[in-house]
Amino acid sequence: MKRLGFSLLLGILMISQSVKADEGMWIPMLLEKYNIEEMQEMGFKLTAEDVYSINQSSMKDAVMIFGGGCTGELISDQGLLITNHHCGYGNIQKHSSLENDYLTDGFWAMSKKEELANPGLEVRFLVSMEDVTEAVLKDVTKNMTEKNRQILIDKNMNSLIESSGKDNDYEIRIKPFFHGNQYFMYFNKVYKDVRLVGAPPSAIGKFGGDTDNWMWPRHTGDFSLFRIYTAPDGSPAEYSELNVPMKPERHFPISLKGIETGDFTMVFGYPGSTEQYVPSYKIDMTMNVNNPVRIAMRTRILDVMKASMESDPLIRIQYATKAARVSNGWKKWIGENRGLKRLNAIERKQSEEAEFRAWAENGKYDGLIEIYETEYNALIPTERIMTAVVEALNGMELINLASSSRGLIQYSKNDAPEERIQTTVESLQSKAKGFYKDYHQETAKEITKTLIDYYMQEIDQAYWPESLLDIEKKGLDKSIDKMFKKSLLANEADFMDFLDGYKGKYKKLEKDPIYNLYQEFVQIYLSELSPTYNTHHAVIDSLDRVYMKAQMELRKDKIFYPDANFTLRVGYGQVDHYFPRDAVKYKYFTTLEGIMEKDNPEIYDYDVPDKLRNLYENKDFGQYADEDGQMHVCFIATNHTTGGNSGSPVIDAEGNLIGINFDRNWEGTMSDLMYDPEMCRNISLDMRYALFIVDKLAGATHLIDEMTILR
Ligand code: ARG
Ligand code: GLU
């Protein structure tokens, strides 16, 4: 290792001085300490206590986790909340049928009586958080093995939760920060009666579909409305007819004033996961191992789905959600790889590592980067196969049904009580019914063929499920055709008959060629891949913890923000245009004009509803038009966001709601690993467009009336 001169070290210190305002997902409890001054310099008019306080009601009391992976916020004193259309999608879909197709036509409850219950849907509000690092790491020593360390930490966390005394009113979660160098405990209030209030037609809420997904300029009206109900005394309660609309202490006022370049914006929500402090080897693996395998396999799946969906409107309905799910990751990873390449992300990390090495030489961190290198090199072959196995298992839809059938086989084999078997059969029947509703045999077969083909071409035979050897011998097409013909699972009538008359004869299912393929893949996963995979990932996790700590010691003057971990965070920045490529400038907002430009009844993603077209033609924008006379639809800003921030409130300098976050731009999707202030933008729905739809398109003026609107 070369020694670097003093001047270079000085250089490092100087670079690390400047904190980028737009980059970062900050801890609300620590704004006072680290951020508020800068936020105010950028235009923010409120205090840190206004954002997060445990002494009085504050902005955080209006922000919630919506369902399993989104954010939502309160917009009235009657428990009305807004989140994205794509976050409410599953629940809107559950209420939809051919007669009442709320996905296609939209849904608007014209009175509270018409609001629809959603069993299983929960929202969580943060009541307070606490730094519990000392208690969690109590008695942890440097020389412990990783395993013993984790056992002790788990024990400490459990006793913390037990002694916290907040019993049943709260859900308590402890989360690691900075790769396990810090821990916070969260007290959440969970509400379980959350009813659907309104959703625009998909042609508005999903306008642009997968074609425009991850892209700017964007015209998606991505919002839906729900309402929280509580017991009559205001406490959280399971669904009941006796429940009443929540009376929250806080909700967001909505500003119709309009937005300009340079305006302060803040995003307050639940970013899911980022990896800002990993070494070059991790970026290299993501770019050159994980992403290429995932992209290649999903390209194949999407090609099949697209052709099928275009051939038949029924298949389009059946595969719309599946295609959206597959496509969302696929497109993000393509963007991420391009962004990382453009940033020379690997080289940048390498030069940071060179500095680090020089600084660490002969000290306690000497050799850390080298261990990383060894570990990643050892991991990569397994990581590649693992990625392919996971994508194959998730990609072949029948595997999902096969895995749900596993329980029935186990119970039958072990002579479980008759009752147990009966309930298992019933739950499998209902699962299968839902499954076949969206199943098209030819499509599923073609996807299976193309994924198996990929696997046989790309993965060493040592990691093939046995069935693949046979497939290779007899030919792919013929073998898979036969597999589908013979399989119970692949044929709705056969499988339903089998379940209907089920008398404990599980052998037929256990020998099913598709069940078999599933079992073989699982076997490879468990015995050939997991041990190596888990061993190296465990070492890497512990290296990450040490490297994180070391980076903080090296760059003492830098204020670090922790990686996203689905806890409440504040991002702040400003409304801003960007230059995606040479000579092209993207404005910071889009308008209804752009929706009409895209309008094309032939293209599903761009089929504008007549009612919206009429409103446009009559320029009937009410109080929601911008000063420029146009109906603004979406806007972009430099807030650092990621998956989970969907539905997050976008807040102006006065603390009012101006938008709902729903996406990032394609040029900026590498921000989970490396943020670029020039290129990274979060995409938000302009609140004025959402209210315009509620008011003018749906005529749900009673909802507008309960909001606090500032002009
Ligand atoms: N890209 C956004 C996110 O990651 C929206 C996804 C839903 N929309 C879609 N067209 N698939 O969640
Ligand atoms: N659409 C994403 C979500 O569901 C947000 C986009 C992003 O990853 O930034 O959370």
Side-chain angles (χ1 to χ4, degrees):
M1 243 176 295
K2 279 240 183 67
R3 276 190 53 204
L4 297 173
F6 182 61
S7 62
L8 200 118
L9 263 179
L10 245 178
I12 300 170
L13 291 179
M14 295 206 352
I15 298 168
S16 55
Q17 292 270 352
S18 61
V19 187
K20 275 275 176 310
D22 22 39
E23 176 175 353
M25 301 165 168
W26 304 93
I27 298 178
M29 190 180 115
L30 302 177
L31 292 184
E32 181 66 44
K33 193 165 166 196
Y34 295 129
N35 312 97
I36 196 67
E37 226 170 279
E38 187 184 49
M39 290 167 75
Q40 289 169 344
E41 264 163 40
M42 290 171 65
F44 191 49
K45 303 260 167 37
L46 307 181
T47 64
E49 186 81 358
D50 292 329
V51 178
Y52 174 92
S53 171
I54 48 169
N55 304 312
Q56 64 197 47
S57 90
S58 58
M59 203 187 273
K60 76 144 176 36
D61 299 329
V63 181
M64 73 198 84
I65 299 179
F66 179 88
C70 281
T71 307
E73 55 275 2
L74 290 165
I75 51 168
S76 92
D77 59 6
Q78 302 170 43
L80 187 65
L81 74 89
I82 189 163
T83 184
N84 288 146
H85 186 263
H86 78 262
C87 296
Y89 197 84
N91 287 297
I92 306 166
Q93 184 176 40
K94 274 184 209 147
H95 292 295
S96 297
S97 60
L98 274 180
E99 304 79 55
N100 289 315
D101 190 351
Y102 300 142
L103 278 181
T104 305
D105 307 327
F107 169 79
W108 305 99
M110 285 302 168
S111 69
K112 294 205 174 75
K113 276 202 195 71
E114 290 176 21
E115 297 176 355
L116 300 172
N118 301 284
L121 176 60
E122 299 175 347
V123 298
R124 315 181 131 66
F125 289 89
L126 172 63
V127 178
S128 65
M129 59 184 288
E130 246 169 69
D131 187 334
V132 290
T133 312
E134 223 172 283
V136 171
L137 296 181
K138 189 168 170 281
D139 298 332
V140 169
T141 61
K142 283 205 182 97
N143 309 322
M144 288 181 132
T145 63
E146 279 303 310
K147 201 172 154 207
N148 288 338
R149 186 178 191 277
Q150 200 51 53
I151 292 173
L152 183 57
I153 287 178
D154 289 341
K155 196 178 127 231
N156 288 344
M157 292 206 288
N158 283 336
S159 61
L160 254 178
I161 291 174
E162 269 160 34
S163 65
S164 68
K166 299 239 172 165
D167 58 64
N168 292 336
D169 281 354
Y170 297 97
E171 172 193 76
I172 303 176
R173 292 179 172 178
I174 298 178
K175 294 255 197 172
F177 285 69
F178 293 116
H179 296 271
N181 285 292
Q182 200 175 4
Y183 289 82
F184 282 92
M185 178 152 68
Y186 289 82
F187 297 94
N188 290 333
K189 243 185 184 164
V190 186
Y191 292 83
K192 301 185 174 186
D193 186 353
V194 184
R195 303 187 195 168
L196 177 62
V197 173
S202 292
I204 290 171
K206 229 177 117 64
F207 183 80
D210 288 325
T211 318
D212 288 2
N213 191 22
W214 296 114
M215 310 261 255
W216 183 256
R218 187 67 156 276
H219 301 90
T220 313
D222 200 345
F223 76 98
S224 56
L225 299 168
F226 289 79
R227 189 187 305 280
I228 304 170
Y229 282 74
T230 67
D233 68 357
S235 61
E238 300 283 345
Y239 172 85
S240 156
E241 277 186 38
L242 301 176
N243 285 352
V244 297
M246 178 194 204
K247 291 199 187 67
E249 285 196 51
R250 269 284 173 144
H251 66 273
F252 281 100
I254 298 165
S255 167
L256 304 183
K257 285 178 196 144
I259 301 144
E260 269 171 50
T261 320
D263 282 357
F264 174 88
T265 59
M266 163 178 153
V267 173
F268 201 9
Y270 283 85
S273 133
T274 60
E275 300 179 291
Q276 312 288 344
Y277 307 105
V278 291
S280 58
Y281 309 102
K282 167 73 187 189
I283 304 231
D284 198 340
M285 185 168 89
T286 303
M287 283 178 80
N288 297 311
V289 180
N290 304 108
N291 284 355
V293 171
R294 293 169 178 155
I295 293 166
M297 295 180 79
R298 290 191 179 203
T299 302
R300 286 173 174 243
I301 299 175
L302 289 167
D303 284 347
V304 175
M305 285 188 181
K306 197 160 170 267
S308 288
M309 284 163 76
E310 273 166 15
S311 75
D312 181 343
L314 177 65
I315 305 178
R316 201 196 49 67
I317 294 172
Q318 290 178 316
Y319 281 76
T321 310
K322 294 179 200 176
R325 187 185 57 76
V326 175
S327 163
N328 197 41
W330 170 80
K331 199 160 176 185
K332 183 190 149 176
W333 295 317
I334 293 174
E336 183 172 82
N337 262 20
R338 288 187 192 169
L340 291 170
K341 193 164 164 224
R342 201 190 54 243
L343 285 180
N344 290 316
I346 297 177
E347 292 73 13
R348 271 163 76 159
K349 287 278 185 180
Q350 281 169 341
S351 74
E352 277 177 24
E353 283 152 22
E355 290 167 13
F356 180 84
R357 277 186 163 118
W359 171 79
E361 198 181 355
N362 299 326
K364 58 184 169 179
Y365 301 121
D366 198 356
L368 182 67
I369 302 293
E370 287 78 358
I371 311 178
Y372 261 132
E373 183 172 7
T374 313
E375 283 302 316
Y376 274 102
N377 282 339
L379 168 65
I380 277 174
T382 310
E383 180 87 20
R384 198 172 77 86
I385 305 166
M386 194 66 140
T387 309
V389 169
V390 168
E391 284 295 317
L393 288 175
N394 289 333
M396 297 186 278
E397 50 199 291
L398 281 165
I399 294 290
N400 189 299
L401 191 60
S403 109
S404 307
S405 310
R406 199 170 162 267
L408 182 60
I409 296 177
Q410 298 302 0
Y411 287 135
S412 308
K413 249 187 184 166
N414 298 322
D415 288 324
E418 185 56 34
E419 229 169 281
R420 182 80 231 164
I421 291 183
Q422 202 43 44
T423 52
T424 310
V425 169
E426 277 160 25
S427 93
L428 194 51
Q429 275 170 326
S430 105
K431 161 108 199 179
K433 211 173 132 211
F435 175 87
Y436 290 120
K437 181 170 144 295
D438 291 336
Y439 168 77
H440 179 248
Q441 197 190 59
E442 270 315 301
T443 307
K445 193 195 287 178
E446 288 309 309
I447 291 172
T448 305
K449 282 182 187 171
T450 189
L451 290 180
I452 297 291
D453 179 56
Y454 176 91
Y455 198 88
M456 296 199 315
Q457 281 184 38
E458 296 295 325
I459 305 297
D460 191 283
Q461 268 204 19
Y463 299 92
W464 285 13
E466 253 182 69
S467 303
L468 269 55
L469 295 169
D470 199 50
I471 292 174
E472 195 191 33
K473 234 186 280 152
K474 296 188 179 135
L476 179 76
D477 279 325
K478 243 175 92 184
S479 311
I480 306 279
D481 287 345
K482 199 169 143 206
M483 184 184 261
F484 269 68
K485 208 162 170 189
K486 271 179 60 182
S487 165
L488 275 179
L489 295 165
N491 295 282
E492 176 172 2
D494 294 352
F495 191 49
M496 287 316 213
D497 281 352
F498 170 81
L499 290 178
D500 248 353
Y502 191 73
K503 291 262 155 38
K505 296 221 158 68
Y506 63 87
K507 285 253 163 63
K508 192 156 181 226
L509 184 54
E510 199 181 29
K511 283 201 199 113
D512 188 279
I514 288 173
Y515 186 78
N516 208 28
L517 182 66
Y518 156 70
Q519 287 286 52
E520 290 170 0
F521 263 117
V522 169
Q523 198 49 38
I524 289 189
Y525 180 98
L526 290 179
S527 58
E528 307 291 325
L529 299 170
S530 288
T532 316
Y533 183 90
N534 292 341
T535 307
H536 293 300
H537 273 283
V539 177
I540 289 170
D541 284 350
S542 66
L543 292 174
D544 286 344
R545 185 178 72 239
V546 178
Y547 188 39
M548 185 76 241
K549 184 157 176 273
Q551 289 181 74
M552 291 168 102
E553 282 171 27
L554 166 61
R555 303 183 211 288
K556 278 202 184 62
D557 297 324
K558 176 173 165 170
I559 304 168
F560 285 77
Y561 60 93
D563 271 316
N565 58 357
F566 207 57
T567 58
L568 186 58
R569 301 294 180 90
V570 170
Y572 52 96
Q574 64 228 351
V575 174
D576 204 3
H577 57 254
Y578 71 106
F579 299 88
R581 49 184 184 275
D582 190 31
V584 179
K585 175 178 170 175
Y586 281 161
K587 268 206 317 215
Y588 69 90
F589 68 92
T590 58
T591 66
L592 194 48
E593 197 83 33
I595 295 184
M596 300 316 297
E597 276 171 13
K598 285 177 177 170
D599 183 19
N600 185 346
E602 309 272 293
I603 302 175
Y604 178 76
D605 287 344
Y606 295 139
D607 188 3
V608 177
D610 290 338
K611 210 162 171 192
L612 184 59
R613 196 178 295 118
N614 291 340
L615 289 168
Y616 167 75
E617 276 159 12
N618 301 329
K619 297 275 176 289
D620 187 6
F621 305 152
Q623 59 177 338
Y624 311 108
D626 189 79
E627 255 176 53
D628 65 10
Q630 305 220 61
M631 186 68 243
H632 287 212
V633 174
C634 297
F635 67 93
I636 47 173
T638 61
N639 305 288
H640 192 181
T641 55
T642 188
N645 269 127
S646 271
S648 299
V650 185
I651 298 155
D652 70 6
E654 276 93 30
N656 303 317
L657 188 64
I658 50 174
I660 313 291
N661 186 78
F662 70 95
D663 212 359
R664 268 176 292 167
N665 62 333
W666 213 19
E667 297 83 359
T669 45
M670 70 298 179
S671 65
D672 290 349
L673 291 152
M674 197 176 272
Y675 186 89
D676 175 9
E678 301 298 321
M679 279 300 181
C680 292
R681 297 292 179 270
N682 67 309
I683 304 181
S684 307
L685 169 68
D686 193 311
M687 272 312 285
R688 294 172 295 174
Y689 183 61
L691 297 198
F692 161 74
I693 297 293
V694 173
D695 184 339
K696 296 285 177 177
L697 188 115
T701 48
H702 62 292
L703 297 175
I704 304 285
D705 292 344
E706 68 175 276
M707 301 173 194
T708 308
I709 294 182
L710 306 171
R711 283 168 203 99

